[in-house]
Amino acid sequence: MRLPPDAPATARVLARASSVEGPAGGAPSIRIGAPTFANRTWIGSYYPPGVKDAEMLRHYARLLPTLELNSTHYGLPDDATIARWRDQTGPGFRFCPKLPQRISHDFGLGPLADPEVRTFAKWLTRLGADRLGPAFLQLPPTFGPDLLPTLQRFLTFYKEVVPAHPLAVELRHPLWYASPLAREEVFGLLEALEMPAIITDVAGRRDVLHQRLTTPLAFIRFNGHHPDNSDYARLDEWAERLADWLRMGLQEIYFFVHEPEARQVPVMARYLAEQLTARTGLAIAAPAPVIRPVQGSLF
């Protein structure tokens, strides 16, 4: 299935950023990652045989430069865990933590969530700016356009409390996309606050594949259908689109590969990296197996 065309405003957002090369005046930053590092199916291929659970992040960080940190949705790890994460990753690695569900679901972004935001901000500081990519807010599917004032108040407050790190926002209620007015209001809000709108490529919801960039940072969540070979064709489409966006002024990419079978994630991540490199000439981190099959072996 082909990607839909860009939203008209995407070209404007990228044109405004095109005078700057990359997030810090250099080459664009492209990071491809996965939703979890505790992948036992990678042991013996992408992880060494016998690797312990406590060492998996170290090996993950050698394969991929970013992690979609979904575990923070359910609770913030303690300082000992943060220290271990920092020890097992280098300064080029980026965690993208998901906002706690107490903020997004339990308190519905209302004022009762404000103390939780301050707690989250302190936790981000302990993790450290040199390990942080965008945090991301996944709104409940029941959070619709009628709650736009609540969203605006929350995002404005969040930016005041956490000014140094971008927050990406995923909208899941269908009416955000069914109503042109609601769509432009919410994307205009994200653009004004310099917050990326998450693009989700998932079966059955082509509306969330909105192709509307609100910043020169693209945050994409790709949901594959292995063993359906259409995943390769879909990633070819993404490589073409991302290469176009880079030429237009895109500065940063965070692309997270989800697959029903975790063992396919590094395969697809490597494929995307190779396709992007072929189209852009940029060196993009790609996972490689630590153990390769012996050529000619019958076993």
Side-chain angles (χ1 to χ4, degrees):
M1 185 177 294
R2 297 188 64 84
L3 290 176
D6 290 350
T10 290
R12 172 175 50 77
V13 169
L14 294 179
R16 192 165 59 231
S18 63
S19 60
V20 179
E21 294 185 5
S29 172
I30 302 172
R31 288 184 168 88
I32 301 171
T36 178
F37 63 86
N39 298 308
R40 299 195 64 81
T41 58
W42 296 13
I43 297 175
S45 54
Y46 289 88
Y47 291 166
V51 67
K52 304 299 184 183
D53 289 357
E55 289 293 314
M56 282 189 179
L57 178 58
R58 186 182 308 279
H59 294 284
Y60 175 95
R62 292 170 179 167
L63 297 170
L64 293 164
T66 188
L67 175 70
E68 186 184 276
L69 194 58
N70 288 285
S71 63
T72 51
H73 189 60
Y74 307 101
L76 298 178
D78 59 21
D79 287 349
T81 302
I82 291 173
R84 185 170 66 251
W85 285 356
R86 289 188 58 83
D87 178 64
Q88 293 191 10
T89 59
F93 189 84
R94 296 291 183 269
F95 293 96
C96 293
K98 191 175 186 178
L99 261 64
Q101 63 182 352
R102 284 178 61 80
I103 295 172
S104 58
H105 290 60
D106 297 350
F107 294 131
L109 308 187
L112 290 176
D114 292 357
E116 302 289 335
V117 172
R118 296 189 187 279
T119 298
F120 184 66
K122 293 176 182 177
W123 183 86
L124 293 177
T125 300
R126 294 199 296 275
L127 181 59
D130 62 337
R131 295 297 194 280
L132 276 174
F136 71 104
L137 167 64
Q138 186 180 67
L139 290 172
T142 54
F143 194 103
D146 58 314
L147 294 173
L148 179 62
T150 299
L151 179 63
Q152 182 171 5
R153 187 213 70 86
F154 173 81
L155 294 181
T156 302
F157 174 77
Y158 183 94
K159 185 155 186 173
E160 292 172 355
V161 176
V162 193
H165 306 293
L167 176 68
V169 179
E170 185 174 46
L171 303 158
R172 297 196 289 166
H173 196 295
L175 287 182
W176 290 116
Y177 307 102
S179 165
L181 177 60
R183 183 172 63 242
E184 286 313 306
E185 283 184 334
V186 73
F187 287 143
L189 172 64
L190 295 178
E191 188 177 337
L193 292 173
E194 299 179 308
M195 293 180 171
I198 292 175
I199 298 172
T200 309
D201 189 346
V202 60
R205 286 295 305 272
R206 302 307 281 178
D207 54 349
V208 294
L209 191 58
H210 51 76
Q211 306 303 81
R212 169 60 157 96
L213 296 179
T214 53
T215 71
L217 185 157
F219 193 116
I220 297 148
R221 306 180 76 220
F222 175 90
N223 290 264
H225 306 300
H226 182 76
D228 186 342
N229 285 331
S230 67
D231 281 3
Y232 290 99
R234 292 168 64 206
L235 289 176
D236 286 340
E237 289 266 326
W238 269 114
E240 290 285 351
R241 186 64 55 89
L242 292 172
D244 287 344
W245 286 351
L246 289 166
R247 285 189 288 270
M248 295 165 66
L250 188 65
Q251 297 174 359
E252 293 186 76
I253 297 170
Y254 284 84
F255 193 106
F256 294 101
V257 177
H258 298 242
E259 288 284 346
E261 296 181 18
R263 63 185 177 182
Q264 284 300 116
V265 170
V267 177
M268 306 313 290
R270 182 174 183 83
Y271 182 79
L272 176 61
E274 290 171 344
Q275 296 306 308
L276 264 174
T277 295
R279 289 163 172 81
T280 65
L282 298 170
I284 301 168
V290 296
I291 297 178
R292 299 180 181 276
V294 177
Q295 294 297 322
S297 171
L298 297 178
F299 304 98

